[in-house]
Amino acid sequence: MPGYSLLNGIRVLEVAQLAPSSVGGHLADLGAEVIKIESGAGDGVRTGGADAVGTPDGPAFMHLRWNRGKRSVALDLRGEEGRRAFLALAEQSDVVIEGTRSGYLAWLGLGPDVLAELKPSLVFCSISGFGSGGPYSRLGSGGPVFDGYAGLRKVNLPQEPPTEGMAGSTGPSIAMYALGAYGAMGVLAAVLDARRTGVGKRIEVAGVDVAAGWIPDEIDAALNRDRTVLRDGWLPDGRLPDWPRLEAYRTKDGGAMLFGAHVEKFWHAFCTAVGRKDLLDYDLTTVDDGSLDRAEHVWRELKKIFAERTRAEWTRLFLEHDIAGGPVNTVDELVRDPHFTSRASTYRLSTDHGELELAASPVRVVGETFAPEPAPALGADTATVLVGLAPSTRPAPSNQDAS
């Protein structure tokens, strides 16, 4: 069973590996029936990543998240029987997701043109790294590649072998995780359109396009350099003159707070609360030769002020005095943060490895509890899904078509 009930009645047929599996994952979380077609060893995400659950050969947390609530059907799409079953399932589905290199299903004789003839209202969503067009479309790729392509990833190039991180960075891939949300959004819009028109659209989401779309302001400015000028009130380096009011500061206990007092009311509230109204006398709005000196002086004062209280004490003070900002957490600190634990941010799941507590969908549905079934074992639902399945009205492509 999926996590929520919002998409009950929508059936999704998914042929996806690794990050593209997250598209169907989001749809399953919201209530769609997602039938995952797998062959061989199945989706590589089942054992991806350094962390395994329970035993060294246990499932990956990413698999438990991206494939939860789905049904796994083992089909060999290179064989006639498997292709016939796929076509029959497609006739009963609203969406087909191709989460491989673009064109894989067409190569098998099961592409969007074939499926559109079979069921005109079927939505076809292609999820790939570099998309179906352009000189890089056949390149293999992955999360770090998406971000690196778009200038979204800060890549370190050390002279000696690196001691931490991967692919030149310690940060997670942004586009790899955003890919699923954009894909699910496109699919849902296309399903609504198909119900209105009776015709299913083809949707394409490429990881590199998602990465590029994450920084549209910078891209738009780069595309229009001859028309891009510095707005009044901003420093030449791209910061506001009051940048100390939008900074992170170390706290007494070694933690940190992000200060968000760019708005005047928050700045006044902070200076009043800490007994430093003298800081209000510093002009942090005018851009002139003294802007940098004034800002650096205020920054040094704020640095000393934040070191006087612990992170928890600052959080309470911010709440009591209506000051914008918040605590900076490590991941280990986040899972113990009282705000995180109070917001139904996790759910519990009984598995062969004991009870697990896992991160829930970031979507909250008032009146419903997020409680998806676990990610299925490879082929666990093959018999139940295929039993009684009516043969497709379209002949299966020949072996020659799928070679």
Side-chain angles (χ1 to χ4, degrees), residues 146-371:
F146 306 156
D147 292 0
Y149 162 87
L152 190 59
R153 187 178 188 86
K154 181 180 179 181
V155 176
N156 300 314
L157 301 170
Q159 295 297 323
E160 299 296 327
T163 57
E164 63 178 356
M166 187 177 294
S169 176
T170 59
S173 169
I174 294 174
M176 182 179 77
Y177 290 97
L179 183 70
Y182 277 100
M185 177 175 63
V187 164
L188 293 178
V191 167
L192 288 175
D193 182 73
R195 292 189 171 183
R196 179 178 59 86
T197 65
V199 179
K201 293 288 199 306
R202 298 185 191 179
I203 302 296
E204 179 177 309
V205 179
V208 293
D209 295 339
V210 170
W214 205 255
I215 52 172
D217 289 350
E218 294 183 32
I219 290 176
D220 291 344
L223 290 169
N224 300 277
R225 287 299 183 205
D226 59 334
R227 295 175 179 268
T228 303
V229 297
L230 185 67
R231 187 181 299 280
D232 291 342
W234 289 72
L235 297 172
D237 62 9
R239 292 184 297 176
L240 286 162
D242 67 348
W243 60 264
R245 290 154 53 175
L246 289 165
E247 265 295 341
Y249 294 95
R250 184 68 62 194
T251 57
K252 183 179 181 179
D253 55 347
M257 289 290 291
L258 267 169
F259 194 29
H262 170 61
V263 176
E264 287 297 328
K265 73 169 185 176
F266 295 135
W267 179 232
H268 278 262
F270 175 84
C271 293
T272 300
V274 299
R276 290 296 305 272
K277 287 188 176 182
D278 59 295
L279 295 178
L280 297 173
D281 296 333
Y282 288 87
D283 178 7
L284 296 179
T285 60
T286 302
V287 176
D288 57 25
D289 291 341
S291 296
L292 184 60
D293 289 339
R294 294 193 299 271
E296 290 185 353
H297 174 77
V298 171
W299 176 81
R300 291 187 182 91
E301 293 301 305
L302 290 176
K303 187 178 178 182
K304 291 186 288 186
I305 292 169
F306 273 94
E308 295 172 354
R309 289 177 170 88
T310 65
R311 181 176 53 187
E313 290 171 337
W314 279 117
T315 302
R316 286 194 295 271
L317 185 139
F318 278 28
L319 286 167
E320 292 169 1
H321 296 274
D322 189 22
I323 301 166
V328 176
N329 287 315
T330 64
V331 174
D332 285 338
E333 290 168 337
L334 171 66
V335 298
R336 299 190 300 272
D337 188 290
H339 190 76
F340 180 87
T341 59
S342 71
R343 287 190 47 76
S345 301
T346 64
Y347 69 102
R348 293 189 175 275
L349 183 69
S350 296
T351 73
D352 294 339
H353 302 282
E355 186 175 73
L356 300 176
E357 185 176 9
L358 301 169
S361 167
V363 177
R364 307 289 192 270
V365 179
V366 177
E368 294 190 23
T369 299
F370 185 74

Side-chain angles (χ1 to χ4, degrees), residues 68-110:
R68 64 191 175 199
K70 298 179 183 178
R71 306 169 78 185
S72 174
V73 172
L75 285 182
D76 179 7
L77 297 182
R78 299 192 183 197
E80 181 177 349
E81 184 178 351
R83 293 196 297 276
R84 284 186 180 278
F86 181 87
L87 290 172
L89 287 170
E91 279 190 289
Q92 299 179 5
S93 299
D94 301 284
V95 180
V96 168
I97 295 175
E98 176 189 59
T100 58
R101 288 197 194 187
S102 182
Y104 173 69
L105 288 179
W107 177 72
L108 291 170
L110 302 170

